[in-house]
Amino acid sequence: MEYKDVLDTMTGEYNNLTKSGRKAADYIFAHRVEAQYMSITALAEECGVAEATISRFCRTLGFSGYNDFKLALAKASGAPAADDEVGIYGKVLPEDSITDMCKKLYATNVAAIGQTLAQIDEENVGRAVKYLSAAQRVYCFGQGGSLVIAMEAWARFITAAPQFQCIEDSHMQAMAAALSTPDDVILFFSYSGATKDMLDVLRPARRRGAKIILVTHFAKSPAAAMANVTLLCGSKEGPLQSGSVAAKMGLLFIIDVLFNEYCRTNPALTEANREATAGAISAKLL
Protein backbone atom coordinates (compact mmCIF):
# COMPACT_ATOMS: atom_id res chain seq x y z
CA MET A 1 0.00 0.00 0.00
CA GLU A 2 1.18 3.51 -0.78
CA TYR A 3 1.60 5.46 2.44
CA LYS A 4 -0.13 8.50 0.98
CA ASP A 5 -3.37 6.50 0.67
CA VAL A 6 -3.84 5.65 4.36
CA LEU A 7 -6.40 8.35 5.15
CA ASP A 8 -8.36 7.63 1.98
CA THR A 9 -8.23 3.92 2.79
CA MET A 10 -9.61 4.56 6.27
CA THR A 11 -12.48 6.51 4.71
CA GLY A 12 -13.19 3.83 2.13
CA GLU A 13 -13.11 0.99 4.66
CA TYR A 14 -14.97 2.84 7.41
CA ASN A 15 -18.35 1.15 6.89
CA ASN A 16 -16.69 -2.28 6.80
CA LEU A 17 -15.01 -1.82 10.15
CA THR A 18 -16.33 -3.28 13.38
CA LYS A 19 -17.87 -0.98 15.95
CA SER A 20 -14.58 -0.92 17.85
CA GLY A 21 -12.66 -0.37 14.62
CA ARG A 22 -14.82 2.65 13.82
CA LYS A 23 -14.08 4.06 17.28
CA ALA A 24 -10.37 3.79 16.49
CA ALA A 25 -10.86 5.40 13.08
CA ASP A 26 -12.90 8.26 14.56
CA TYR A 27 -10.21 9.02 17.09
CA ILE A 28 -7.42 8.89 14.51
CA PHE A 29 -9.29 11.14 12.08
CA ALA A 30 -9.71 13.70 14.88
CA HIS A 31 -6.19 13.32 16.33
CA ARG A 32 -4.05 12.12 13.45
CA VAL A 33 -1.06 14.24 14.47
CA GLU A 34 -1.15 13.10 18.12
CA ALA A 35 -1.64 9.46 17.08
CA GLN A 36 1.75 9.46 15.35
CA TYR A 37 3.44 9.73 18.74
CA MET A 38 1.32 7.20 20.66
CA SER A 39 2.24 3.68 21.63
CA ILE A 40 -0.36 1.04 20.74
CA THR A 41 -1.29 0.85 24.43
CA ALA A 42 -1.88 4.60 24.70
CA LEU A 43 -3.91 4.71 21.48
CA ALA A 44 -6.08 1.79 22.56
CA GLU A 45 -6.81 3.49 25.88
CA GLU A 46 -7.68 6.80 24.21
CA CYS A 47 -9.99 5.02 21.78
CA GLY A 48 -11.58 2.95 24.53
CA VAL A 49 -10.75 -0.36 22.82
CA ALA A 50 -8.39 -3.28 23.35
CA GLU A 51 -4.86 -3.37 21.94
CA ALA A 52 -5.91 -6.38 19.86
CA THR A 53 -8.56 -4.19 18.23
CA ILE A 54 -5.89 -1.70 17.12
CA SER A 55 -3.81 -4.53 15.67
CA ARG A 56 -6.82 -5.92 13.76
CA PHE A 57 -7.70 -2.41 12.61
CA CYS A 58 -4.22 -1.98 11.12
CA ARG A 59 -4.34 -5.35 9.37
CA THR A 60 -7.80 -4.60 7.98
CA LEU A 61 -6.35 -1.51 6.34
CA GLY A 62 -3.61 -3.63 4.76
CA PHE A 63 -0.70 -2.95 7.11
CA SER A 64 1.56 -5.57 8.67
CA GLY A 65 1.18 -4.04 12.12
CA TYR A 66 0.79 -0.90 14.19
CA ASN A 67 4.25 0.54 13.50
CA ASP A 68 3.71 0.18 9.75
CA PHE A 69 0.40 2.00 10.13
CA LYS A 70 2.01 4.83 12.16
CA LEU A 71 4.64 5.30 9.47
CA ALA A 72 1.91 5.55 6.85
CA LEU A 73 0.02 8.05 9.01
CA ALA A 74 3.14 10.19 9.37
CA LYS A 75 3.61 10.26 5.60
CA ALA A 76 -0.05 10.85 4.78
CA SER A 77 -1.22 14.19 3.46
CA GLY A 78 -2.38 16.42 6.26
CA ALA A 79 -0.25 14.63 8.85
CA PRO A 80 2.93 16.62 9.54
CA ALA A 81 6.04 14.46 9.53
CA ALA A 82 8.71 17.05 10.23
CA ASP A 83 10.48 17.69 13.50
CA ASP A 84 8.44 19.00 16.40
CA GLU A 85 7.70 22.68 16.23
CA VAL A 86 9.09 24.31 19.33
CA GLY A 87 8.71 27.81 20.63
CA ILE A 88 9.02 30.74 18.23
CA TYR A 89 11.47 28.97 15.94
CA GLY A 90 9.45 26.12 14.41
CA LYS A 91 10.70 23.32 12.17
CA VAL A 92 13.89 23.42 10.16
CA LEU A 93 13.26 24.58 6.60
CA PRO A 94 15.45 24.33 3.46
CA GLU A 95 15.63 28.11 3.19
CA ASP A 96 16.87 28.60 6.77
CA SER A 97 20.34 29.98 7.37
CA ILE A 98 22.73 27.87 9.44
CA THR A 99 22.23 30.29 12.33
CA ASP A 100 18.43 29.92 12.13
CA MET A 101 18.77 26.15 11.95
CA CYS A 102 21.01 26.15 15.02
CA LYS A 103 18.53 28.28 16.97
CA LYS A 104 15.68 25.92 16.13
CA LEU A 105 17.67 22.83 17.08
CA TYR A 106 18.77 24.51 20.29
CA ALA A 107 15.16 25.34 21.17
CA THR A 108 14.08 21.77 20.42
CA ASN A 109 16.80 20.24 22.60
CA VAL A 110 16.25 22.65 25.49
CA ALA A 111 12.51 21.94 25.30
CA ALA A 112 13.20 18.20 25.51
CA ILE A 113 15.17 18.66 28.72
CA GLY A 114 12.47 20.95 30.11
CA GLN A 115 9.76 18.41 29.33
CA THR A 116 11.82 15.71 31.03
CA LEU A 117 12.37 17.88 34.10
CA ALA A 118 8.62 18.44 34.37
CA GLN A 119 8.07 14.67 34.52
CA ILE A 120 10.72 13.87 37.12
CA ASP A 121 9.13 11.97 39.99
CA GLU A 122 11.26 12.24 43.15
CA GLU A 123 9.84 9.07 44.63
CA ASN A 124 10.60 7.05 41.50
CA VAL A 125 14.11 8.45 41.25
CA GLY A 126 14.69 7.55 44.91
CA ARG A 127 13.40 4.00 44.39
CA ALA A 128 15.52 3.56 41.29
CA VAL A 129 18.68 4.68 43.07
CA LYS A 130 17.86 2.42 46.01
CA TYR A 131 17.71 -0.56 43.63
CA LEU A 132 20.94 0.49 41.90
CA SER A 133 22.74 0.91 45.22
CA ALA A 134 21.74 -2.54 46.47
CA ALA A 135 22.34 -4.40 43.20
CA GLN A 136 25.02 -7.03 42.76
CA ARG A 137 24.97 -6.37 39.01
CA VAL A 138 23.34 -3.62 36.97
CA TYR A 139 22.80 -4.39 33.29
CA CYS A 140 22.44 -1.32 31.07
CA PHE A 141 20.37 -2.46 28.10
CA GLY A 142 18.77 -0.96 25.02
CA GLN A 143 18.40 -1.67 21.32
CA GLY A 144 19.01 0.43 18.23
CA GLY A 145 19.48 4.10 19.08
CA SER A 146 18.61 3.36 22.71
CA LEU A 147 21.64 1.06 22.95
CA VAL A 148 23.83 4.13 22.49
CA ILE A 149 22.10 5.66 25.51
CA ALA A 150 22.56 2.45 27.52
CA MET A 151 26.27 2.55 26.72
CA GLU A 152 26.39 6.17 27.86
CA ALA A 153 24.74 5.18 31.17
CA TRP A 154 27.33 2.44 31.66
CA ALA A 155 30.18 4.81 30.77
CA ARG A 156 28.88 7.34 33.31
CA PHE A 157 28.33 4.91 36.16
CA ILE A 158 31.48 2.82 35.65
CA THR A 159 33.49 5.80 36.89
CA ALA A 160 31.92 5.31 40.31
CA ALA A 161 30.47 1.78 40.56
CA PRO A 162 32.03 -1.47 39.26
CA GLN A 163 28.77 -3.45 39.21
CA PHE A 164 27.49 -1.69 36.10
CA GLN A 165 27.72 -3.62 32.82
CA CYS A 166 26.58 -3.08 29.24
CA ILE A 167 25.83 -5.90 26.79
CA GLU A 168 25.27 -4.82 23.19
CA ASP A 169 24.01 -7.96 21.45
CA SER A 170 20.27 -8.61 21.93
CA HIS A 171 20.80 -12.38 22.17
CA MET A 172 23.42 -11.93 24.88
CA GLN A 173 21.09 -9.53 26.67
CA ALA A 174 18.37 -12.19 26.69
CA MET A 175 20.79 -14.81 28.04
CA ALA A 176 22.01 -12.49 30.80
CA ALA A 177 18.39 -11.76 31.74
CA ALA A 178 17.63 -15.50 31.82
CA LEU A 179 20.38 -15.95 34.42
CA SER A 180 19.64 -12.82 36.44
CA THR A 181 18.77 -12.98 40.14
CA PRO A 182 16.72 -10.91 42.60
CA ASP A 183 20.00 -9.13 43.44
CA ASP A 184 20.34 -7.84 39.87
CA VAL A 185 18.90 -4.75 38.19
CA ILE A 186 18.04 -4.24 34.53
CA LEU A 187 18.35 -0.56 33.58
CA PHE A 188 16.57 -0.52 30.22
CA PHE A 189 16.32 2.41 27.83
CA SER A 190 13.51 2.35 25.26
CA TYR A 191 11.80 5.47 23.97
CA SER A 192 8.73 3.54 22.81
CA GLY A 193 8.67 0.87 25.50
CA ALA A 194 7.24 -1.45 22.87
CA THR A 195 9.75 -3.55 20.94
CA LYS A 196 9.94 -7.33 20.61
CA ASP A 197 13.64 -7.57 21.50
CA MET A 198 13.03 -5.57 24.66
CA LEU A 199 10.24 -7.90 25.80
CA ASP A 200 12.50 -10.89 25.11
CA VAL A 201 14.84 -9.44 27.74
CA LEU A 202 12.37 -8.14 30.30
CA ARG A 203 10.12 -11.20 30.48
CA PRO A 204 12.83 -13.62 31.72
CA ALA A 205 14.27 -10.93 34.00
CA ARG A 206 10.85 -10.44 35.53
CA ARG A 207 10.42 -14.19 36.05
CA ARG A 208 13.82 -14.40 37.73
CA GLY A 209 12.95 -11.62 40.15
CA ALA A 210 15.44 -9.02 38.88
CA LYS A 211 14.45 -5.40 39.42
CA ILE A 212 13.59 -3.53 36.23
CA ILE A 213 14.13 0.21 35.84
CA LEU A 214 12.66 1.47 32.57
CA VAL A 215 13.50 4.83 31.02
CA THR A 216 10.92 5.62 28.34
CA HIS A 217 8.59 8.26 26.95
CA PHE A 218 5.40 6.25 27.39
CA ALA A 219 4.05 5.56 30.87
CA LYS A 220 1.53 3.12 29.42
CA SER A 221 3.47 0.64 27.34
CA PRO A 222 4.15 -3.12 27.43
CA ALA A 223 7.54 -2.53 29.06
CA ALA A 224 6.15 -0.16 31.69
CA ALA A 225 3.72 -2.87 32.75
CA MET A 226 6.70 -5.08 33.69
CA ALA A 227 8.93 -2.43 35.26
CA ASN A 228 9.41 -1.90 38.99
CA VAL A 229 10.21 1.76 38.32
CA THR A 230 9.43 3.82 35.21
CA LEU A 231 11.20 7.13 34.54
CA LEU A 232 9.78 9.32 31.79
CA CYS A 233 11.73 11.39 29.28
CA GLY A 234 10.35 14.33 27.33
CA SER A 235 10.33 15.19 23.60
CA LYS A 236 7.85 13.78 21.12
CA GLU A 237 9.40 11.53 18.51
CA GLY A 238 7.38 10.49 15.48
CA PRO A 239 7.96 7.37 13.34
CA LEU A 240 10.01 9.42 10.85
CA GLN A 241 12.25 10.82 13.63
CA SER A 242 13.63 7.60 15.08
CA GLY A 243 16.80 8.31 17.04
CA SER A 244 16.26 12.06 17.20
CA VAL A 245 18.81 14.03 19.21
CA ALA A 246 16.04 15.76 21.17
CA ALA A 247 14.77 12.44 22.50
CA LYS A 248 18.33 11.47 23.42
CA MET A 249 18.74 14.75 25.32
CA GLY A 250 15.85 13.79 27.58
CA LEU A 251 17.29 10.32 28.16
CA LEU A 252 20.75 11.69 28.90
CA PHE A 253 19.29 14.12 31.42
CA ILE A 254 17.73 11.20 33.30
CA ILE A 255 21.09 9.40 33.33
CA ASP A 256 22.67 12.48 34.87
CA VAL A 257 19.91 12.69 37.49
CA LEU A 258 20.35 9.01 38.43
CA PHE A 259 24.14 9.27 38.54
CA ASN A 260 24.24 12.34 40.74
CA GLU A 261 21.63 10.97 43.13
CA TYR A 262 23.55 7.67 43.26
CA CYS A 263 26.71 9.57 44.21
CA ARG A 264 24.84 11.60 46.84
CA THR A 265 23.41 8.39 48.31
CA ASN A 266 26.78 6.60 48.39
CA PRO A 267 29.28 9.44 48.95
CA ALA A 268 32.24 7.61 50.50
CA LEU A 269 32.20 4.71 48.04
CA THR A 270 31.68 6.75 44.91
CA GLU A 271 34.26 9.38 45.85
CA ALA A 272 36.93 6.71 46.35
CA ASN A 273 35.98 4.95 43.12
CA ARG A 274 35.93 8.15 41.09
CA GLU A 275 39.39 9.07 42.39
CA ALA A 276 40.65 5.61 41.44
CA THR A 277 39.20 5.69 37.92
CA ALA A 278 40.39 9.25 37.37
CA GLY A 279 43.90 8.21 38.39
CA ALA A 280 43.82 5.27 35.98
CA ILE A 281 42.89 7.54 33.07
CA SER A 282 45.22 10.42 33.95
CA ALA A 283 48.25 8.33 33.05
CA LYS A 284 46.92 8.05 29.49
CA LEU A 285 46.73 11.80 28.94
CA LEU A 286 49.52 13.56 27.04
Side-chain angles (χ1 to χ4, degrees):
M1 173 184 293
E2 292 293 332
Y3 287 130
K4 65 182 181 181
D5 294 334
V6 61
L7 298 175
D8 290 339
T9 301
M10 286 173 59
T11 300
E13 291 290 329
Y14 186 84
N15 291 329
N16 296 325
L17 297 172
T18 63
K19 182 179 179 181
S20 295
R22 288 195 294 272
K23 288 178 67 176
D26 290 341
Y27 181 86
I28 292 167
F29 277 130
H31 306 88
R32 59 177 179 261
V33 176
E34 295 92 331
Q36 292 181 59
Y37 304 103
M38 290 183 177
S39 67
I40 188 172
T41 305
L43 180 60
E45 181 168 316
E46 290 296 328
C47 296
V49 300
E51 290 182 32
T53 297
I54 301 297
S55 295
R56 286 194 298 270
F57 169 78
C58 295
R59 290 194 296 270
T60 298
L61 296 179
F63 297 100
S64 61
Y66 179 62
N67 287 333
D68 195 28
F69 169 76
K70 280 210 305 182
L71 182 60
L73 188 60
K75 290 187 174 183
S77 59
D83 287 347
D84 292 342
E85 295 192 1
V86 178
I88 63 173
Y89 296 113
K91 62 185 179 183
V92 174
L93 301 173
E95 61 269 25
D96 286 341
S97 67
I98 292 178
T99 298
D100 287 340
M101 178 186 70
C102 291
K103 288 180 178 179
K104 291 177 179 180
L105 295 176
Y106 171 81
T108 300
N109 292 330
V110 169
I113 296 175
Q115 292 161 14
T116 302
L117 176 61
Q119 297 184 88
I120 291 292
D121 184 307
E122 288 194 15
E123 182 178 347
N124 281 345
V125 171
R127 287 175 59 208
V129 170
K130 181 179 178 180
Y131 289 146
L132 295 175
S133 300
Q136 181 177 2
R137 292 173 295 193
V138 178
Y139 293 110
C140 301
F141 287 162
Q143 276 111 29
S146 295
L147 174 60
V148 177
I149 301 300
M151 294 175 68
E152 180 62 34
W154 167 69
R156 188 76 168 115
F157 274 96
I158 199 63
T159 64
Q163 71 269 30
F164 283 75
Q165 305 176 29
C166 182
I167 300 176
E168 299 179 28
D169 183 79
S170 62
H171 293 187
M172 296 298 183
Q173 290 180 7
M175 286 190 281
L179 296 178
S180 61
T181 74
D183 294 324
D184 296 332
V185 170
I186 308 292
L187 177 57
F188 208 104
F189 296 86
S190 174
Y191 181 88
S192 69
T195 65
K196 292 180 180 179
D197 284 346
M198 174 197 60
L199 296 180
D200 288 341
V201 172
L202 297 189
R203 283 175 180 140
R206 179 83 174 186
R207 288 195 297 268
R208 298 280 294 188
K211 304 296 187 301
I212 297 171
I213 301 171
L214 176 68
V215 184
T216 184
H217 181 69
F218 298 100
K220 298 176 181 177
S221 64
M226 289 188 283
N228 298 94
V229 179
T230 299
L231 302 174
L232 301 178
C233 70
S235 180
K236 289 184 178 180
E237 181 179 83
L240 298 180
Q241 302 166 282
S242 180
S244 70
V245 171
K248 287 183 172 65
M249 294 297 289
L251 294 168
L252 288 170
F253 181 66
I254 290 178
I255 291 173
D256 214 18
V257 169
L258 289 175
F259 178 77
N260 279 277
E261 183 60 17
Y262 181 90
C263 291
R264 292 204 312 166
T265 303
N266 306 281
L269 176 64
T270 55
E271 183 176 351
N273 287 341
R274 295 183 76 180
E275 287 182 3
T277 54
I281 295 301
S282 64
K284 297 182 178 294
L285 300 177
L286 294 179

